[in-house]
């Protein structure tokens, strides 16, 4: 299907927070979904995936004001939960 298999995720892999744009032309969103599923398969719940329906690649750089508010909001909460 064009999505690489993730073979490096284990139960002791570090926490992972993924911000992914559905409209990303460089990294398809299902690659991020595969990584999240690999964490789940390894019985590691320390991975969260946040999908942005209208975002492309690197929207945090191009539209920093809009996206950084969301990034910081979820990143703070994620760090609190996995700490």
């Amino acid at each position: 299907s064009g999505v690489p298999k993730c073979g490096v995720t284990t139960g002791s892999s570090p926490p992972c927070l993924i911000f992914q744009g559905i409209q990303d032309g460089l990294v398809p969103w299902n690659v991020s979904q595969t990584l999240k599923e690999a964490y789940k398969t390894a019985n590691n719940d320390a991975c969260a995936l946040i999908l942005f329906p209208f975002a492309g690649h690197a929207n945090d750089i191009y539209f920093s004001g809009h996206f950084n508010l969301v990034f910081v909001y979820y990143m703070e909460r994620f760090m609190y939960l996995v700490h």
Side-chain angles (χ1 to χ4, degrees), residues 4-70:
K5 297 293 183 200
C6 185
V8 296
T9 308
T10 68
S12 62
S13 292
C16 176
L17 177 59
I18 306 166
F19 295 101
Q20 177 70 49
I22 297 291
Q23 303 301 320
D24 191 328
L26 187 61
V27 179
W29 70 270
N30 55 348
V31 172
S32 295
Q33 182 65 37
T34 300
L35 178 59
K36 178 162 176 25
E37 289 172 5
Y39 265 75
K40 187 174 181 179
T41 300
N43 292 321
N44 187 335
D45 294 327
C47 184
L49 172 61
I50 300 173
L51 297 173
F52 291 89
F54 301 107
H57 192 80
N59 270 12
D60 58 324
I61 295 170
Y62 298 120
F63 305 105
S64 59
H66 296 80
F67 288 94
N68 283 344
L69 291 173
V70 177

Side-chain angles (χ1 to χ4, degrees), residues 69-82:
L69 291 173
V70 177
F71 291 157
V72 170
Y73 178 85
Y74 285 107
M75 189 176 301
E76 287 175 343
R77 280 142 187 85
F78 180 79
M79 291 172 65
Y80 175 79
L81 290 173
V82 300

